[in-house]
């Protein structure tokens, strides 16, 4: 938790602002997985299990979109502001690849 | 057709065949959520966290597709085979709604 | 248009009921593609082009979900009602594959 | 940084480099929509229509991902490089919203 410091900002990333929010979202998703596990264990009707899995997928998507937004704001724009467009090229490439994975997942 | 036990038809579903496989997939997803939680805790680079979240979303999607397939095979086709097309209408409607949620999540 | 006959119903599919609705939805999507083409031609701001492409993707998704729903109601449930669960197995497999492609696209 | 022409910065964007490629992708998608229209007209088997619609959705997704990549590289990173992080904030917000729409479509 106290690992954020100069080296992190130097490394060009930081999502400390929303860290607690992400951690709590992830805890909730973990609860949801355990809930789905229990539903399958108890042979709950598939449609009800599917509804819960879809809700979980949406919650996960919200985490991804949040991380991506942070990344664009801090890392991509940050690299461009600090070191110019060319320096930001790798960051843009990384972000685009992550977006493609997200869209396809 | 006679492979469906009384309690199963009573409950209107059965995915017992793949139950252990689902349970083990869900355990793995739970591990993945915990892994992502740790990554955020340790402030791992967003792009690496995103890659893991996308992998998790794919694993979750595999569970959904499996459940849906089971549902179509057992409940939808089962209701139609046992009680005719009209009787299957509600099952089809439910399945279609679940597919729409899945596609949009 | 006059191609629907005994062989078609025998073949176990029919979406004649919604045919005109599908055709008109597809005409609209064709209009949308042409609109996006014009936007790119005129170098409209990317974000506005993207909004239009997303709207088009949603319209396309609505067509897919409609076709799938029809397919489940007529072909999958139809095969099961007419010829039993085992006969419907191939139809279920086809539908599940189509759903997987849809979810991943 | 000085590669952005006056007219481009005035318009606030530039994807001219790939313009012809986008236009040709969109022409192909238009062909695909017409193909799907013909398939529905001829009452082609739903599963085959669905396969074509999924292929079209993938082609459309490729256009979106390309536009988004261009946008991040030129507009978001461009604004940050030219005018600093705060100036890029609106661009990031716009891009994030477009990504969210894309992921949900």
């Amino acid at each position: 938790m106290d690992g954020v410091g100069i080296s992190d900002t130097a490394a060009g990333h930081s999502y400390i602002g929303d860290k607690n929010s992400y951690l709590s979202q992830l805890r909730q998703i973990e609860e949801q997985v355990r809930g789905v596990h229990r539903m399958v264990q108890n042979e709950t009707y598939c449609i009800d299990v599917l509804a819960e899995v879809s809700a979980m997928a949406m919650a996960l998507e919200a985490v991804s979109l949040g991380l991506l937004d942070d990344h664009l704001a801090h890392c991509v724009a940050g690299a461009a502001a600090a070191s110019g467009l060319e320096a930001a090229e790798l960051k843009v490439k990384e972000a685009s690849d992550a977006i493609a994975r997200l869209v396809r997942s």
Side-chain angles (χ1 to χ4, degrees), chain A:
Chain A
M1 206 90 76
D2 53 356
V4 190
I6 288 160
S7 63
D8 270 305
T9 30
H13 74 280
S14 164
Y15 45 85
I16 192 81
D18 290 321
K19 189 170 165 178
N20 286 333
S21 153
Y22 288 128
L23 292 176
S24 110
Q25 285 175 75
L26 289 163
R27 276 285 172 245
Q28 268 184 291
I29 293 170
E30 197 188 323
E31 271 315 303
Q32 283 177 295
V33 191
R34 269 200 290 267
V36 172
H37 191 276
R38 249 188 326 268
M39 289 172 100
V40 172
Q41 185 80 64
N42 299 337
E43 293 177 31
T44 305
Y45 186 50
C46 331
I47 292 293
D48 298 330
V49 182
L50 277 167
E52 192 57 27
V53 175
S54 287
M56 227 185 99
M58 300 284 281
L60 206 54
E61 200 176 276
V63 170
S64 292
L65 291 173
L67 286 170
L68 205 48
D69 183 42
D70 277 2
H71 186 69
L72 294 180
H74 300 138
C75 305
V76 177
S83 329
L85 254 185
E86 266 169 66
E89 229 168 75
L90 175 67
K91 296 286 174 194
V92 168
K93 175 86 184 65
E94 274 182 349
S96 293
D97 290 349
I99 294 165
R101 273 195 306 270
L102 183 58
V103 166
R104 280 164 191 152
S105 73

